[in-house]
């Protein structure tokens, strides 16, 4: 009876659907260099796709429309949003899920990881000198003055 009670409370289609949708809604916007978050989104989309295909969560059918996919697209980095716009106009959710998972796999491939350790900030030769004046702060670059004859 305990298992039946748990199934009624936590295993109902409405509860599962709400939990999946809440998880998706709470997912943060992904930054350009956050490949791991993109992978996590891909896993979540696979979970939604699987639940959708099983057919016991009819509310997930709206993911096959632009209205269902667009809020997820807004969570993608700008470059992927642009890339997505070049895809089929209104593809199925499974096509979108494959797209995100393929991009996540590519961006998490260690052979494509770029090292940024060789980049250093260049310090200017002429440092900016700041002087305080009664009307506020004044900044200027050091300049060379050549005498005129």
């Amino acid at each position: 009876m305990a298992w039946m009670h748990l199934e009624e409370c936590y295993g109902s289609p409405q509860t599962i659907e709400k939990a999946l949708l809440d998880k998706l809604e709470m997912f943060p916007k992904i930054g350009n260099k956050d490949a791991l978050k993109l992978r996590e989104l891909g896993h979540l989309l696979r979970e939604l796709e699987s639940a959708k295909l099983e057919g016991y969560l009819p509310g997930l059918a709206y993911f096959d429309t632009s209205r269902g996919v667009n809020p997820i697209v807004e969570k993608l980095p700008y470059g992927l949003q642009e890339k997505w716009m070049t895809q089929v106009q209104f593809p199925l959710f499974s096509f979108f899920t494959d797209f995100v998972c393929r991009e996540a796999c590519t961006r998490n491939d260690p052979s494509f990881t770029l090292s940024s350790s060789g980049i250093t900030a260049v310090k200017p030769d002429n440092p900016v000198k700041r002087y305080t004046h009664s009307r506020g702060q004044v900044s200027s670059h050091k300049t060379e003055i050549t005498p005129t004859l």
Side-chain angles (χ1 to χ4, degrees):
M1 288 188 61
W3 285 111
M4 286 176 38
H5 180 69
L6 288 172
E7 181 67 28
E8 287 174 8
C9 292
Y10 302 106
S12 71
Q14 296 82 4
T15 304
I16 295 171
E17 188 176 291
K18 182 178 179 345
L20 288 170
L21 293 174
D22 287 349
K23 199 174 187 183
L24 183 61
E25 186 178 320
M26 298 302 293
F27 201 90
K29 180 162 175 50
I30 302 168
N32 287 330
K33 296 182 181 182
D34 202 352
L36 293 176
K37 276 286 181 208
L38 186 61
R39 180 186 290 166
E40 288 177 29
L41 179 62
H43 291 299
L44 177 56
L45 294 179
R46 286 279 186 225
E47 188 177 353
L48 281 165
E49 179 185 16
S50 176
K52 182 180 158 301
L53 291 174
E54 287 181 15
Y56 69 93
L57 301 175
L60 301 182
Y62 89 107
F63 282 119
D64 282 332
T65 68
S66 62
R67 188 175 201 173
V69 171
N70 283 345
I72 306 169
V73 173
E74 291 173 0
K75 294 178 183 291
L76 297 175
Y78 179 75
L80 284 183
Q81 289 179 15
E82 291 290 311
K83 192 170 183 178
W84 174 246
M85 289 187 334
T86 64
Q87 302 298 315
V88 180
Q89 194 166 6
F90 293 109
L92 296 175
F93 183 66
S94 59
F95 184 81
F96 176 69
T97 299
D98 289 342
F99 168 80
V100 171
C101 289
R102 190 174 50 251
E103 291 295 325
C105 184
T106 300
R107 285 165 174 35
N108 282 285
D109 187 335
S111 62
F112 295 124
T113 303
L114 303 175
S115 173
S116 61
S117 61
I119 300 173
T120 57
V122 178
K123 189 174 180 181
D125 292 337
N126 296 335
V128 175
K129 294 194 176 193
R130 289 182 167 50
Y131 302 98
T132 304
H133 188 269
S134 62
R135 293 185 184 166
Q137 193 174 21
V138 178
S139 299
S140 70
H141 285 280
K142 180 179 175 184
T143 59
E144 296 291 325
I145 300 175
T146 55
T148 57
L149 298 173

